[in-house]
Amino acid sequence: MPLSQRWTLTRYLIEERRRFPTASGDLNALLLDVSLACKAIARIVAFGQLDDGLGSAAPPQGGAVNVQGEVQKPLDVLSNQIFIQMNDWSGHLAGMASEEMDAPKQIPAAHARGKYLLVFDPLDGSSNIDVNVSVGSIFSVLRAPQEVVDSGRDVTEADFLQAGATQVAAGYALYGPTTMLVLTVGNGVAGFTLNPNLGEFMLTHRDIRVPADTQEFAINSSNSRFWEPPVKRYVDECLAGQPGPRAKDFNMRWIASMVAEAHRILMRGGVFLYPRDSKDASKPGRLRLLYEANPIALLMEQAGGRASTGRQPMLGVKPTELHQRIGLVFGSKHEVERIERYHHEPPAQERGNPLFADRGLFRN
Ligand code: AHG
Ligand code: MN
Ligand code: MN
């Protein structure tokens, strides 16, 4: 398609806004600022080890440790700063929260405050930086509580504890062979590819849909001894392939950048699991609800896929903590539904019991 016929991200946002004649344009301006942060991070990631100061590896003494107990790499910290600098001045935000900050970030007194909250993982998959594998940024936009907007007071952790279903917009940038921005403003999912000559995100994927069925799954199977029985059952059945109960062969992928797995699944289907497990009793899952699970869940649902804790739809979960971890399953609808069903079915020994047999009492 000739360049002149392609929509820019700006045009897409303007066309979307036309659906709401009274909209102020604040959300669009906010999303363009976020996209600029992503472009800046993409440039830095692309220079890799050429930038001695930054280097992608952790400093020799080891980096600082974030609130997650994870070592922060210089690029984690820098990406976080870029998100803040591109967004704290515009007057669209009441506050921000990120994986890399213990507490919410206040909008400086010198700047106006707005009606939205921005929540982000500035660099997802950062363990992959050293090995030159795709990383990305994930973001979620929430409305600030009206009382925060009216009073202009500082934001607190509680202001961010909103179920994923209330997200106004969500998306991610993927720093891969091409840089892409994938976005939902609540009307499907659109994908934009960064044209490096223009420095513009151009609409290349107009209405991304996740196929309902798949033969591809993604899970870190080194954790298998910690899995709960429904997850073990699901994976065992996939591995059993053609002769097994699923009667088809499955393929497996694990990139260790959730944002890259989400992108693969949006492009060709699949299912991703980082379920709750028994590895560390203090961590009910590996991934974080507010800035990893919820934005990806909204994208999946908007693309016709599904996202779940394994037990319930992710977007219905009421958060209790800013950095809450949660089991996450997302992707092709029928697979996610199957995994949820396995979580609600009785354990194997009971399923073998005549009471649970096909014509048994407890068959649902
Ligand atoms: P982050 O780099 O933001 O801390 O997130 C990394 C996450 C996620 O991207 C990925 O799916 C997962 O960690 C990988 O976990 P394992 O190391 O257990 O494979
Ligand atoms: Mn992450
Ligand atoms: Mn991160």
Side-chain angles (χ1 to χ4, degrees), residues 76 99-100 121-126 288 292:
D76 285 322
E99 175 183 319
E100 304 301 340
D121 175 353
L123 207 55
D124 178 64
S126 51
R288 278 62 52 115
E292 290 176 321

Side-chain angles (χ1 to χ4, degrees), residues 223-277:
N223 293 325
S224 61
R225 71 185 188 281
F226 305 112
W227 291 341
E228 295 177 330
V231 173
K232 194 159 175 14
R233 174 185 174 195
Y234 176 75
V235 174
D236 283 348
E237 289 182 2
C238 291
L239 295 177
Q242 181 71 49
R246 301 297 306 275
K248 57 182 185 178
D249 289 333
F250 279 76
N251 188 19
M252 208 224 43
R253 288 284 184 275
W254 187 251
I255 305 173
S257 279
M258 190 211 28
V259 65
E261 321 261 11
H263 190 68
R264 183 189 63 248
I265 288 170
L266 284 170
M267 292 297 111
R268 69 177 191 205
V271 63
F272 171 97
L273 304 94
Y274 216 126
R276 189 173 90 180
D277 63 29

